[in-house]
Amino acid sequence: MLDKMESAMKGDHQHKMNKYACGCAIVASMISIIFGYDTGVMSGAMIFIKEDLKINDTQVEVLAGILNLCAFVGSLLAGRTSDWIGRRYTIVVASFIFLVGAVLMGYAPTYAILMTGRCIAGIGVGFALLLAPVYSAEISSPSYRGLLMSLPELCISLGILLGYISNYFFSHLSLTLGWRMMLGVAGIPSLALMAGILKMPESPRWLVMQGRVGEAKKVLLLVSNTKEEAEYRLQDIKMAAGIDASCTDDVVKIPDDKKGGKGVWKEILKPSPPVRWILLACIGIHFFEHATGIEAVVLYSPRIFKKAGVIDKHKLLLATIGVGLTKTTCILVATFMLDKAGRRRLLLTSVGGMIVALATLGFSLTIAEHSKEQILWALCLSIVATYTFVAFFSIGLGPITWVYSSEIFPLRLRAQGASLGVAVNRLTNAGISMSFLSLSNAITIGGSFFLFSAVAIVAWCFFFFLCPETKGKSLEDIEELFTRKSSSADIELKTKAELSSS
């Protein structure tokens, strides 16, 4: 039986993507488009909000960063909520929260109401950032899990690009109407997502955690290419949930120590050595994703280009669209490379390129800022370095952060463990968003990017020593990679020995 299952998992059909699983991941990832749009559109909207509402730079920083502080709260709530009501209904909740936030921001007669809408949208962001990759991970087969799990990051980039494009077209409207339209239209996809998500199946791993094995099997038959593959995946999930592999009941009582949500925070706060390593890797990759400066580029790219010498507002917004196009294109490329090249190789290549691009951007902006007249080569080098940084970020660190952190946790810790990573991600993002203008005023904008380059060097070392390769491993096997006594080769030998003995 084991030989048959192994053959089913390793055969050619295993490497063919299941269309139903792909469709589910695409729908779930659409919530990330809304988040990306909220991030991207604010970069241009802030130019007009500042002029219309007469706010200062500090208020602009708070407006930019408050989304992420509220997302920190949302991400912590999302983990427990998704373990309670399921991944699918939690995405519905997030869509409704986004809708309310978009309506308030689109209305916003005052700065206070605009901030309220931004805060509510931020809570939705926290939900979205956790649920889309976790849901995609839990319906995917190992051979194409990287591709489906990178879809949320691709959708974030697509949303950012749409936000930039929205900035450009709505900027031609009147001052009071333009930025409100930019922010308010985000409510439209929220309605569409709420309708679409209800037609999707629940995560089979969540269903097993609830003891609903029969329902989980039906879902696995839909998202697997063969009955044997579905059975193999079900056996792995049942073992992880503490269910006897020979049990054929459709409804099973799950041991209290295996149920998602119960005792999870205790295990996370007092972790075993493998879980401690997993937590460190998860928190580290989320921290470095934003500590290396991507938010400064995405959110403040109009200011960066202005410092480099681009003055006209419409030209600034057009140059910013180039950032969005670069980000989306490179993440699309990375989506198809993750399961071939592997997470680790792309991650190290990505951060290595970012180090060089950030140092180049720091140099060119320093030259442009301290020159009394516009220097064309410094302007061009600044734009090229900005696009290069975004490109390297997008082929590795951007998508891999969400793939890696959502796949390394054991089943019962996944939702709330990943939510902790998202919380760190949002806090770091908020810190960069709310301090970049002050930082660039204190040490110059060029100095800021030299600082980000130094952080990227530390990040490269962290990933090299603490992040093992997870490509091709089942979610239930990945925990073994974080046990220092077990290398990936040991695991393969152990698996072969078990199969031969059977």
Side-chain angles (χ1 to χ4, degrees), residues 281-322:
C282 174
I283 290 172
I285 197 168
H286 275 289
F287 171 78
F288 285 118
E289 183 189 24
H290 290 289
T292 48
I294 186 61
E295 197 67 14
V297 172
V298 169
L299 202 55
Y300 295 106
S301 52
R303 287 187 179 241
I304 294 171
F305 294 137
K306 189 173 182 179
K307 285 285 186 182
V310 182
I311 306 299
D312 182 80
K313 284 184 181 179
H314 294 298
K315 288 181 179 179
L316 282 174
L317 294 177
L318 278 174
T320 302
I321 289 175

mmCIF file of all heavy atoms in Angstrom, residues 281-322:
data_model
loop_
_atom_site.group_PDB
_atom_site.id
_atom_site.type_symbol
_atom_site.label_atom_id
_atom_site.label_comp_id
_atom_site.label_asym_id
_atom_site.label_seq_id
_atom_site.Cartn_x
_atom_site.Cartn_y
_atom_site.Cartn_z
ATOM 1 N N ALA A 281 13.076 31.439 12.530
ATOM 2 C CA ALA A 281 13.109 31.592 11.073
ATOM 3 C C ALA A 281 11.919 32.416 10.589
ATOM 4 O O ALA A 281 12.059 33.299 9.734
ATOM 5 C CB ALA A 281 13.118 30.222 10.405
ATOM 6 N N CYS A 282 10.739 32.136 11.141
ATOM 7 C CA CYS A 282 9.521 32.851 10.739
ATOM 8 C C CYS A 282 9.600 34.335 11.095
ATOM 9 O O CYS A 282 9.358 35.207 10.248
ATOM 10 C CB CYS A 282 8.306 32.208 11.414
ATOM 11 S SG CYS A 282 6.759 33.096 11.150
ATOM 12 N N ILE A 283 9.956 34.619 12.339
ATOM 13 C CA ILE A 283 10.036 36.016 12.776
ATOM 14 C C ILE A 283 11.143 36.752 12.030
ATOM 15 O O ILE A 283 10.974 37.905 11.606
ATOM 16 C CB ILE A 283 10.257 36.075 14.302
ATOM 17 C CG1 ILE A 283 8.994 35.614 15.031
ATOM 18 C CG2 ILE A 283 10.647 37.488 14.745
ATOM 19 C CD1 ILE A 283 9.169 35.440 16.526
ATOM 20 N N GLY A 284 12.281 36.068 11.819
ATOM 21 C CA GLY A 284 13.401 36.701 11.133
ATOM 22 C C GLY A 284 13.088 37.078 9.701
ATOM 23 O O GLY A 284 13.363 38.194 9.264
ATOM 24 N N ILE A 285 12.466 36.168 8.966
ATOM 25 C CA ILE A 285 12.198 36.445 7.553
ATOM 26 C C ILE A 285 11.144 37.554 7.402
ATOM 27 O O ILE A 285 11.232 38.400 6.515
ATOM 28 C CB ILE A 285 11.784 35.151 6.810
ATOM 29 C CG1 ILE A 285 11.919 35.362 5.289
ATOM 30 C CG2 ILE A 285 10.371 34.712 7.164
ATOM 31 C CD1 ILE A 285 11.810 34.077 4.491
ATOM 32 N N HIS A 286 10.171 37.580 8.322
ATOM 33 C CA HIS A 286 9.172 38.658 8.288
ATOM 34 C C HIS A 286 9.788 40.001 8.667
ATOM 35 O O HIS A 286 9.444 41.032 8.086
ATOM 36 C CB HIS A 286 8.017 38.335 9.221
ATOM 37 C CG HIS A 286 6.959 37.475 8.596
ATOM 38 N ND1 HIS A 286 6.114 37.946 7.617
ATOM 39 C CD2 HIS A 286 6.622 36.178 8.787
ATOM 40 C CE1 HIS A 286 5.287 36.974 7.238
ATOM 41 N NE2 HIS A 286 5.576 35.900 7.924
ATOM 42 N N PHE A 287 10.698 39.995 9.636
ATOM 43 C CA PHE A 287 11.346 41.242 10.045
ATOM 44 C C PHE A 287 12.193 41.805 8.909
ATOM 45 O O PHE A 287 12.087 42.988 8.551
ATOM 46 C CB PHE A 287 12.218 41.000 11.279
ATOM 47 C CG PHE A 287 13.092 42.168 11.635
ATOM 48 C CD1 PHE A 287 12.564 43.272 12.288
ATOM 49 C CD2 PHE A 287 14.444 42.180 11.301
ATOM 50 C CE1 PHE A 287 13.367 44.373 12.614
ATOM 51 C CE2 PHE A 287 15.255 43.261 11.617
ATOM 52 C CZ PHE A 287 14.713 44.360 12.279
ATOM 53 N N PHE A 288 13.017 40.953 8.312
ATOM 54 C CA PHE A 288 13.945 41.446 7.291
ATOM 55 C C PHE A 288 13.242 41.811 5.985
ATOM 56 O O PHE A 288 13.778 42.603 5.210
ATOM 57 C CB PHE A 288 15.039 40.412 7.031
ATOM 58 C CG PHE A 288 16.066 40.352 8.120
ATOM 59 C CD1 PHE A 288 16.262 39.190 8.854
ATOM 60 C CD2 PHE A 288 16.833 41.465 8.429
ATOM 61 C CE1 PHE A 288 17.206 39.129 9.861
ATOM 62 C CE2 PHE A 288 17.786 41.425 9.441
ATOM 63 C CZ PHE A 288 17.972 40.254 10.164
ATOM 64 N N GLU A 289 12.045 41.267 5.736
ATOM 65 C CA GLU A 289 11.335 41.643 4.509
ATOM 66 C C GLU A 289 11.137 43.155 4.454
ATOM 67 O O GLU A 289 11.289 43.777 3.392
ATOM 68 C CB GLU A 289 9.970 40.948 4.418
ATOM 69 C CG GLU A 289 9.268 41.298 3.108
ATOM 70 C CD GLU A 289 7.827 40.833 3.024
ATOM 71 O OE1 GLU A 289 7.194 40.644 4.081
ATOM 72 O OE2 GLU A 289 7.322 40.687 1.901
ATOM 73 N N HIS A 290 10.813 43.778 5.582
ATOM 74 C CA HIS A 290 10.550 45.216 5.587
ATOM 75 C C HIS A 290 11.696 46.044 6.150
ATOM 76 O O HIS A 290 11.832 47.218 5.805
ATOM 77 C CB HIS A 290 9.256 45.502 6.341
ATOM 78 C CG HIS A 290 8.048 45.035 5.603
ATOM 79 N ND1 HIS A 290 7.587 45.649 4.461
ATOM 80 C CD2 HIS A 290 7.234 43.974 5.809
ATOM 81 C CE1 HIS A 290 6.526 44.997 3.999
ATOM 82 N NE2 HIS A 290 6.294 43.979 4.793
ATOM 83 N N ALA A 291 12.538 45.436 7.002
ATOM 84 C CA ALA A 291 13.666 46.182 7.558
ATOM 85 C C ALA A 291 14.697 46.522 6.489
ATOM 86 O O ALA A 291 15.536 47.397 6.692
ATOM 87 C CB ALA A 291 14.324 45.386 8.686
ATOM 88 N N THR A 292 14.631 45.832 5.348
ATOM 89 C CA THR A 292 15.557 46.134 4.248
ATOM 90 C C THR A 292 15.045 47.244 3.337
ATOM 91 O O THR A 292 15.690 47.567 2.340
ATOM 92 C CB THR A 292 15.806 44.856 3.415
ATOM 93 O OG1 THR A 292 14.558 44.225 3.120
ATOM 94 C CG2 THR A 292 16.697 43.881 4.163
ATOM 95 N N GLY A 293 13.867 47.813 3.634
ATOM 96 C CA GLY A 293 13.472 49.066 2.998
ATOM 97 C C GLY A 293 12.463 49.024 1.876
ATOM 98 O O GLY A 293 12.220 50.063 1.242
ATOM 99 N N ILE A 294 11.823 47.884 1.624
ATOM 100 C CA ILE A 294 10.901 47.845 0.491
ATOM 101 C C ILE A 294 9.732 48.812 0.675
ATOM 102 O O ILE A 294 9.273 49.430 -0.285
ATOM 103 C CB ILE A 294 10.367 46.397 0.251
ATOM 104 C CG1 ILE A 294 9.526 46.331 -1.030
ATOM 105 C CG2 ILE A 294 9.562 45.906 1.451
ATOM 106 C CD1 ILE A 294 10.260 46.683 -2.284
ATOM 107 N N GLU A 295 9.258 48.980 1.899
ATOM 108 C CA GLU A 295 8.117 49.866 2.121
ATOM 109 C C GLU A 295 8.480 51.322 1.844
ATOM 110 O O GLU A 295 7.655 52.098 1.368
ATOM 111 C CB GLU A 295 7.594 49.713 3.553
ATOM 112 C CG GLU A 295 6.196 50.248 3.778
ATOM 113 C CD GLU A 295 5.138 49.444 3.034
ATOM 114 O OE1 GLU A 295 5.442 48.339 2.566
ATOM 115 O OE2 GLU A 295 3.992 49.940 2.931
ATOM 116 N N ALA A 296 9.732 51.668 2.138
ATOM 117 C CA ALA A 296 10.180 53.030 1.854
ATOM 118 C C ALA A 296 10.108 53.316 0.353
ATOM 119 O O ALA A 296 9.725 54.411 -0.073
ATOM 120 C CB ALA A 296 11.607 53.228 2.353
ATOM 121 N N VAL A 297 10.443 52.311 -0.459
ATOM 122 C CA VAL A 297 10.419 52.478 -1.912
ATOM 123 C C VAL A 297 8.988 52.464 -2.443
ATOM 124 O O VAL A 297 8.598 53.306 -3.256
ATOM 125 C CB VAL A 297 11.259 51.374 -2.591
ATOM 126 C CG1 VAL A 297 11.079 51.420 -4.110
ATOM 127 C CG2 VAL A 297 12.726 51.545 -2.243
ATOM 128 N N VAL A 298 8.180 51.506 -1.983
ATOM 129 C CA VAL A 298 6.807 51.371 -2.491
ATOM 130 C C VAL A 298 5.951 52.573 -2.094
ATOM 131 O O VAL A 298 5.198 53.115 -2.901
ATOM 132 C CB VAL A 298 6.173 50.065 -1.977
ATOM 133 C CG1 VAL A 298 4.672 50.030 -2.269
ATOM 134 C CG2 VAL A 298 6.850 48.859 -2.613
ATOM 135 N N LEU A 299 6.064 52.982 -0.829
ATOM 136 C CA LEU A 299 5.185 54.024 -0.307
ATOM 137 C C LEU A 299 5.680 55.429 -0.625
ATOM 138 O O LEU A 299 4.885 56.347 -0.839
ATOM 139 C CB LEU A 299 5.040 53.846 1.211
ATOM 140 C CG LEU A 299 3.817 54.464 1.884
ATOM 141 C CD1 LEU A 299 2.528 53.990 1.234
ATOM 142 C CD2 LEU A 299 3.807 54.096 3.372
ATOM 143 N N TYR A 300 6.998 55.583 -0.654
ATOM 144 C CA TYR A 300 7.548 56.932 -0.828
ATOM 145 C C TYR A 300 8.320 57.090 -2.140
ATOM 146 O O TYR A 300 9.145 57.995 -2.276
ATOM 147 C CB TYR A 300 8.461 57.281 0.349
ATOM 148 C CG TYR A 300 7.729 57.380 1.670
ATOM 149 C CD1 TYR A 300 7.861 56.376 2.630
ATOM 150 C CD2 TYR A 300 6.895 58.458 1.947
ATOM 151 C CE1 TYR A 300 7.182 56.449 3.847
ATOM 152 C CE2 TYR A 300 6.220 58.546 3.154
ATOM 153 C CZ TYR A 300 6.365 57.537 4.100
ATOM 154 O OH TYR A 300 5.690 57.614 5.300
ATOM 155 N N SER A 301 8.050 56.229 -3.115
ATOM 156 C CA SER A 301 8.771 56.335 -4.387
ATOM 157 C C SER A 301 8.605 57.704 -5.062
ATOM 158 O O SER A 301 9.570 58.210 -5.661
ATOM 159 C CB SER A 301 8.362 55.203 -5.341
ATOM 160 O OG SER A 301 6.974 55.111 -5.483
ATOM 161 N N PRO A 302 7.408 58.353 -4.983
ATOM 162 C CA PRO A 302 7.337 59.704 -5.562
ATOM 163 C C PRO A 302 8.339 60.665 -4.929
ATOM 164 O O PRO A 302 8.945 61.504 -5.624
ATOM 165 C CB PRO A 302 5.889 60.135 -5.266
ATOM 166 C CG PRO A 302 5.121 58.847 -5.199
ATOM 167 C CD PRO A 302 6.063 57.898 -4.527
ATOM 168 N N ARG A 303 8.547 60.559 -3.623
ATOM 169 C CA ARG A 303 9.516 61.438 -2.946
ATOM 170 C C ARG A 303 10.941 61.097 -3.352
ATOM 171 O O ARG A 303 11.797 61.983 -3.484
ATOM 172 C CB ARG A 303 9.352 61.331 -1.424
ATOM 173 C CG ARG A 303 8.094 62.020 -0.910
ATOM 174 C CD ARG A 303 8.072 62.030 0.619
ATOM 175 N NE ARG A 303 6.875 62.716 1.093
ATOM 176 C CZ ARG A 303 6.884 63.807 1.844
ATOM 177 N NH1 ARG A 303 8.029 64.363 2.190
ATOM 178 N NH2 ARG A 303 5.760 64.356 2.250
ATOM 179 N N ILE A 304 11.214 59.781 -3.522
ATOM 180 C CA ILE A 304 12.556 59.365 -3.934
ATOM 181 C C ILE A 304 12.881 59.938 -5.314
ATOM 182 O O ILE A 304 13.948 60.511 -5.540
ATOM 183 C CB ILE A 304 12.664 57.829 -3.946
ATOM 184 C CG1 ILE A 304 12.538 57.282 -2.518
ATOM 185 C CG2 ILE A 304 13.985 57.379 -4.568
ATOM 186 C CD1 ILE A 304 12.412 55.780 -2.445
ATOM 187 N N PHE A 305 11.924 59.807 -6.241
ATOM 188 C CA PHE A 305 12.156 60.325 -7.586
ATOM 189 C C PHE A 305 12.230 61.845 -7.590
ATOM 190 O O PHE A 305 12.949 62.449 -8.398
ATOM 191 C CB PHE A 305 11.056 59.830 -8.535
ATOM 192 C CG PHE A 305 11.082 58.346 -8.756
ATOM 193 C CD1 PHE A 305 9.908 57.601 -8.753
ATOM 194 C CD2 PHE A 305 12.272 57.682 -8.959
ATOM 195 C CE1 PHE A 305 9.927 56.232 -8.959
ATOM 196 C CE2 PHE A 305 12.313 56.313 -9.162
ATOM 197 C CZ PHE A 305 11.137 55.588 -9.164
ATOM 198 N N LYS A 306 11.491 62.481 -6.682
ATOM 199 C CA LYS A 306 11.556 63.941 -6.578
ATOM 200 C C LYS A 306 12.932 64.380 -6.099
ATOM 201 O O LYS A 306 13.504 65.350 -6.604
ATOM 202 C CB LYS A 306 10.467 64.445 -5.623
ATOM 203 C CG LYS A 306 10.310 65.960 -5.624
ATOM 204 C CD LYS A 306 9.106 66.394 -4.784
ATOM 205 C CE LYS A 306 8.920 67.901 -4.823
ATOM 206 N NZ LYS A 306 7.743 68.327 -4.032
ATOM 207 N N LYS A 307 13.480 63.637 -5.111
ATOM 208 C CA LYS A 307 14.831 63.937 -4.632
ATOM 209 C C LYS A 307 15.858 63.742 -5.746
ATOM 210 O O LYS A 307 16.873 64.442 -5.814
ATOM 211 C CB LYS A 307 15.180 63.031 -3.451
ATOM 212 C CG LYS A 307 14.508 63.416 -2.148
ATOM 213 C CD LYS A 307 15.147 64.649 -1.529
ATOM 214 C CE LYS A 307 14.562 64.939 -0.145
ATOM 215 N NZ LYS A 307 15.153 66.165 0.453
ATOM 216 N N ALA A 308 15.584 62.742 -6.620
ATOM 217 C CA ALA A 308 16.519 62.457 -7.715
ATOM 218 C C ALA A 308 16.437 63.504 -8.821
ATOM 219 O O ALA A 308 17.345 63.599 -9.650
ATOM 220 C CB ALA A 308 16.235 61.075 -8.287
ATOM 221 N N GLY A 309 15.326 64.282 -8.837
ATOM 222 C CA GLY A 309 15.233 65.353 -9.824
ATOM 223 C C GLY A 309 13.982 65.383 -10.663
ATOM 224 O O GLY A 309 13.827 66.249 -11.525
ATOM 225 N N VAL A 310 13.044 64.431 -10.444
ATOM 226 C CA VAL A 310 11.774 64.445 -11.181
ATOM 227 C C VAL A 310 10.803 65.333 -10.419
ATOM 228 O O VAL A 310 10.461 65.044 -9.269
ATOM 229 C CB VAL A 310 11.187 63.021 -11.327
ATOM 230 C CG1 VAL A 310 9.891 63.063 -12.133
ATOM 231 C CG2 VAL A 310 12.200 62.101 -12.003
ATOM 232 N N ILE A 311 10.335 66.419 -11.019
ATOM 233 C CA ILE A 311 9.553 67.423 -10.305
ATOM 234 C C ILE A 311 8.063 67.340 -10.601
ATOM 235 O O ILE A 311 7.219 67.394 -9.703
ATOM 236 C CB ILE A 311 10.072 68.851 -10.637
ATOM 237 C CG1 ILE A 311 11.573 68.948 -10.362
ATOM 238 C CG2 ILE A 311 9.289 69.890 -9.839
ATOM 239 C CD1 ILE A 311 11.966 68.685 -8.927
ATOM 240 N N ASP A 312 7.676 67.213 -11.872
ATOM 241 C CA ASP A 312 6.270 67.237 -12.277
ATOM 242 C C ASP A 312 5.477 66.100 -11.619
ATOM 243 O O ASP A 312 5.908 64.946 -11.607
ATOM 244 C CB ASP A 312 6.186 67.116 -13.803
ATOM 245 C CG ASP A 312 4.751 67.172 -14.302
ATOM 246 O OD1 ASP A 312 4.209 68.296 -14.401
ATOM 247 O OD2 ASP A 312 4.175 66.108 -14.570
ATOM 248 N N LYS A 313 4.286 66.418 -11.076
ATOM 249 C CA LYS A 313 3.485 65.420 -10.353
ATOM 250 C C LYS A 313 3.104 64.235 -11.223
ATOM 251 O O LYS A 313 3.184 63.076 -10.813
ATOM 252 C CB LYS A 313 2.208 66.070 -9.788
ATOM 253 C CG LYS A 313 2.430 66.927 -8.561
ATOM 254 C CD LYS A 313 1.093 67.452 -8.029
ATOM 255 C CE LYS A 313 1.301 68.329 -6.803
ATOM 256 N NZ LYS A 313 0.011 68.856 -6.295
ATOM 257 N N HIS A 314 2.658 64.502 -12.434
ATOM 258 C CA HIS A 314 2.218 63.414 -13.314
ATOM 259 C C HIS A 314 3.396 62.539 -13.735
ATOM 260 O O HIS A 314 3.258 61.315 -13.859
ATOM 261 C CB HIS A 314 1.492 63.982 -14.534
ATOM 262 C CG HIS A 314 0.201 64.668 -14.198
ATOM 263 N ND1 HIS A 314 -0.862 64.013 -13.615
ATOM 264 C CD2 HIS A 314 -0.205 65.962 -14.343
ATOM 265 C CE1 HIS A 314 -1.860 64.853 -13.421
ATOM 266 N NE2 HIS A 314 -1.485 66.051 -13.846
ATOM 267 N N LYS A 315 4.570 63.136 -13.937
ATOM 268 C CA LYS A 315 5.764 62.351 -14.255
ATOM 269 C C LYS A 315 6.183 61.500 -13.050
ATOM 270 O O LYS A 315 6.646 60.372 -13.208
ATOM 271 C CB LYS A 315 6.907 63.271 -14.695
ATOM 272 C CG LYS A 315 6.701 63.884 -16.069
ATOM 273 C CD LYS A 315 7.873 64.760 -16.462
ATOM 274 C CE LYS A 315 7.655 65.361 -17.858
ATOM 275 N NZ LYS A 315 8.790 66.243 -18.247
ATOM 276 N N LEU A 316 6.023 62.066 -11.856
ATOM 277 C CA LEU A 316 6.317 61.301 -10.643
ATOM 278 C C LEU A 316 5.431 60.050 -10.560
ATOM 279 O O LEU A 316 5.904 58.949 -10.255
ATOM 280 C CB LEU A 316 6.090 62.173 -9.397
ATOM 281 C CG LEU A 316 7.159 63.194 -9.027
ATOM 282 C CD1 LEU A 316 6.687 64.054 -7.853
ATOM 283 C CD2 LEU A 316 8.463 62.495 -8.671
ATOM 284 N N LEU A 317 4.152 60.238 -10.842
ATOM 285 C CA LEU A 317 3.219 59.113 -10.762
ATOM 286 C C LEU A 317 3.483 58.094 -11.872
ATOM 287 O O LEU A 317 3.342 56.887 -11.655
ATOM 288 C CB LEU A 317 1.778 59.626 -10.830
ATOM 289 C CG LEU A 317 1.342 60.488 -9.638
ATOM 290 C CD1 LEU A 317 -0.081 61.003 -9.849
ATOM 291 C CD2 LEU A 317 1.428 59.708 -8.325
ATOM 292 N N LEU A 318 3.898 58.556 -13.047
ATOM 293 C CA LEU A 318 4.251 57.631 -14.129
ATOM 294 C C LEU A 318 5.493 56.819 -13.771
ATOM 295 O O LEU A 318 5.563 55.610 -14.024
ATOM 296 C CB LEU A 318 4.495 58.407 -15.427
ATOM 297 C CG LEU A 318 3.255 58.788 -16.244
ATOM 298 C CD1 LEU A 318 3.656 59.670 -17.427
ATOM 299 C CD2 LEU A 318 2.535 57.535 -16.739
ATOM 300 N N ALA A 319 6.500 57.484 -13.181
ATOM 301 C CA ALA A 319 7.710 56.774 -12.751
ATOM 302 C C ALA A 319 7.381 55.738 -11.686
ATOM 303 O O ALA A 319 7.961 54.651 -11.646
ATOM 304 C CB ALA A 319 8.746 57.771 -12.228
ATOM 305 N N THR A 320 6.419 56.073 -10.836
ATOM 306 C CA THR A 320 5.994 55.149 -9.783
ATOM 307 C C THR A 320 5.287 53.924 -10.371
ATOM 308 O O THR A 320 5.429 52.814 -9.854
ATOM 309 C CB THR A 320 5.054 55.882 -8.803
ATOM 310 O OG1 THR A 320 5.744 57.009 -8.266
ATOM 311 C CG2 THR A 320 4.646 54.974 -7.659
ATOM 312 N N ILE A 321 4.531 54.112 -11.453
ATOM 313 C CA ILE A 321 3.897 52.973 -12.124
ATOM 314 C C ILE A 321 4.965 51.980 -12.578
ATOM 315 O O ILE A 321 4.767 50.758 -12.530
ATOM 316 C CB ILE A 321 3.053 53.455 -13.323
ATOM 317 C CG1 ILE A 321 1.799 54.179 -12.815
ATOM 318 C CG2 ILE A 321 2.650 52.282 -14.225
ATOM 319 C CD1 ILE A 321 0.958 54.803 -13.921
ATOM 320 N N GLY A 322 6.128 52.491 -12.979
ATOM 321 C CA GLY A 322 7.236 51.615 -13.367
ATOM 322 C C GLY A 322 7.673 50.714 -12.221
ATOM 323 O O GLY A 322 8.038 49.549 -12.436
#
